[in-house]
Amino acid sequence: MYKILKLNNIASEGLSVFENGDYHLGDEVTSPDAILLRSFNMHEIDIPESVQAIGRAGSGVNNIPIDKLSELAIPVFNAPGANANAVKELALAAILIAARNIHRAMDYIHNLKRSDNLKSDIESVKKQYIGYELPNKTLGIIGLGSIGIKVANAGYDLGMKVLGFDPMITVDNAINLVPGVKKYNDLNEVLKNVDILSIHIPYTNETKDFISENEINLMKNSATIINLSREEIVNTDAVIKALDNKKLNTYVTDFPNESLIGNPDVLLLPHLGASTKEAETNCAVMVANSIKSYLESGDIINSVNFPDVSLVNDTKHRLTITNLNKPNIVGQFTSLLGKENININDLSHKNYKTIGYTILNLDKPISLKVIEQIEQIDGVIKTNIIS
């Protein structure tokens, strides 16, 4: 029986993946085979030695110690694209709200609660909240992944000129862009032309303060920045300075900071990007299936620290090997199996950064003696007999 430790509330549709008798799932499971979570901060806990896999029901994994888990040969699964439509719709809402000054107009109306001349007060100031329509305005998208693609295409459908920046765009995503979206490899060219900038990149050491004072100064006066990715990608001090100087018109963020609260030019949201029932369900089901597939067959699908590797399971005997990405290491353990008269019916091997992962379908059971010999090969981190 596999034991799954749940560290957060997970959509029931995802939990139902583990409903058969082979799984025990709970909030207080000892010696778990896998851990399932959403926002729980795993940097502050010890990882049980029994853990074989970690699954986050979402896309970002900043709350998970990826490097540590890679060293332990533990794959971390996430749910890329499962919340893309939810974030896209929130980005569109932010674009419309900012363009029409809805956030400022709402604040004004709320402050008129005790007005003796409500109608005249409204009519007298409505010109202060004149906005603009979206056709022919320019939308810049930083990051053309599953979310950025959807925002770019939706902006184009609204009549906007759309400029995208993502030097690492995949072939599949490039194909999914509508033909009218222009792709740039020079971020400065995008920044100089946008009325609204929407950011959809992950937070890493390289993307910290990706948008700061220098980048903001390249933008048009009174542009809007929308940050639904991570707080640290946009430098808060630079934004406040730009708002005070009227360089920026509006800053929309899903990550409130105390220094931004109360600023009339900031639209703050309480991390609503993936907060729809549909997104939570999609994320939970996707990551639960990845964990189940890994535990039962050794297949790796949607991992952030391991290569995606899968193989048709047409044998009763399967072995997986995790190793350092070193030359000829696959040849060493396949030769060893051959010397032991074990035939490899099929094999799949891939590398991701420093990690290599191999699935082998074998024609007979493998002994512990042979496993020990494989584990002695320089660079082999972990072996696992699936069946």
Side-chain angles (χ1 to χ4, degrees):
M1 175 176 287
Y2 299 108
K3 295 190 288 185
I4 312 293
L5 172 62
K6 182 168 62 74
L7 297 179
N8 294 109
N9 290 326
I10 304 295
S12 59
E13 292 86 349
L15 301 182
S16 67
V17 170
F18 304 111
E19 280 185 348
N20 67 48
D22 294 332
Y23 290 89
H24 169 65
L25 186 147
D27 300 329
E28 298 182 0
V29 174
T30 58
S31 300
D33 296 288
I35 296 176
L36 189 60
L37 71 153
R38 291 181 62 202
S39 59
F40 188 93
N41 185 1
M42 290 195 66
H43 292 279
E44 299 177 354
I45 65 169
D46 294 327
I47 309 298
E49 292 184 5
S50 60
V51 171
Q52 300 180 50
I54 305 289
R56 181 175 185 271
S59 55
V61 289
N62 298 99
N63 56 321
I64 300 173
I66 301 298
D67 292 341
K68 177 181 178 181
L69 291 165
S70 297
E71 292 174 1
L72 296 171
I74 298 174
V76 177
F77 298 98
N78 70 340
N83 60 9
N85 188 70
V87 180
K88 177 206 78 173
E89 290 185 357
L90 189 63
L92 290 180
I95 290 169
L96 291 163
I97 289 170
R100 295 301 302 272
N101 277 319
I102 292 173
H103 52 307
R104 297 185 182 94
M106 287 178 62
D107 287 342
Y108 172 77
I109 292 298
H110 286 311
N111 290 327
L112 290 180
K113 186 173 182 179
R114 293 179 177 82
S115 172
D116 294 328
N117 301 292
L118 180 61
K119 290 184 178 180
S120 61
D121 286 343
I122 290 172
E123 291 299 322
S124 66
V125 300
K126 68 179 184 181
K127 289 186 178 181
Q128 295 180 23
Y129 302 108
I130 290 177
Y132 57 83
E133 298 180 20
L134 298 180
N136 296 317
K137 293 296 186 292
T138 301
L139 171 65
I141 306 292
I142 296 179
L144 294 170
S146 55
I147 297 171
I149 288 286
K150 290 181 179 293
V151 178
N153 291 346
Y156 184 81
D157 289 341
L158 290 171
M160 303 186 77
K161 299 174 184 177
V162 183
L163 314 179
F165 171 79
D166 190 342
M168 304 299 291
I169 186 173
T170 65
V171 173
D172 287 343
N173 282 344
I175 292 172
N176 289 327
L177 269 180
V178 297
V181 176
K182 296 182 179 180
K183 301 187 296 294
Y184 287 83
N185 290 324
D186 186 348
L187 175 61
N188 292 349
E189 287 300 311
V190 175
L191 295 173
K192 288 189 297 186
N193 290 286
V194 297
D195 298 291
I196 299 175
L197 182 69
S198 192
I199 301 165
H200 303 285
I201 54 177
Y203 173 62
T204 64
N205 290 334
E206 290 73 27
T207 60
K208 179 178 171 60
D209 292 337
F210 196 79
I211 300 298
S212 193
E213 187 169 2
N214 290 337
E215 289 73 29
I216 293 173
N217 286 338
L218 290 173
M219 299 174 68
K220 296 179 181 179
N221 290 334
S222 297
T224 290
I225 294 177
I226 299 171
N227 177 16
L228 304 182
S229 292
R230 282 293 181 268
E231 175 186 356
E232 296 86 355
I233 292 173
V234 178
N235 184 283
T236 300
D237 292 337
V239 165
I240 293 172
K241 180 179 178 181
L243 291 171
D244 289 344
N245 295 335
K246 304 303 179 185
K247 175 64 180 177
L248 282 181
N249 181 285
T250 297
Y251 180 53
V252 183
T253 181
D254 212 12
F255 309 95
N257 179 300
E258 286 186 10
S259 61
L260 296 173
I261 295 175
N263 191 316
D265 300 322
V266 178
L267 175 57
L268 294 175
L269 305 170
H271 203 178
L272 295 178
S275 292
T276 66
K277 292 185 68 66
E278 293 85 352
E280 291 180 1
T281 296
N282 293 341
C283 289
V285 170
M286 182 181 289
V287 77
N289 279 317
S290 291
I291 289 177
K292 183 178 182 180
S293 179
Y294 177 72
L295 293 177
E296 295 182 5
S297 68
D299 290 345
I300 293 186
I301 305 166
N302 295 325
S303 172
V304 300
N305 62 335
F306 271 56
D308 278 4
V309 185
S310 59
L311 190 65
V312 174
N313 198 351
D314 56 0
T315 179
K316 294 181 179 179
H317 313 291
R318 173 171 282 205
L319 172 69
T320 68
I321 301 173
T322 305
N323 57 269
L324 297 176
N325 184 4
K326 300 178 67 174
N328 195 39
I329 196 164
V330 176
Q332 292 182 65
F333 56 69
T334 55
S335 295
L336 194 155
L337 290 170
K339 290 178 181 178
E340 296 294 328
N341 202 31
I342 298 174
N343 189 48
I344 300 172
N345 293 339
D346 204 354
L347 174 154
S348 182
H349 170 86
K350 289 184 181 179
N351 295 312
Y352 177 73
K353 296 183 178 180
T354 62
I355 295 289
Y357 186 77
T358 308
I359 302 174
L360 305 102
N361 288 345
L362 309 176
D363 70 337
K364 63 182 66 174
I366 188 168
S367 69
L368 292 180
K369 174 187 173 183
V370 176
I371 289 294
E372 289 174 357
Q373 291 175 335
I374 292 174
E375 290 178 342
Q376 289 173 4
I377 296 172
D378 183 32
V380 170
I381 306 172
K382 181 181 180 181
T383 61
N384 188 24
I385 299 174
I386 302 297
S387 57

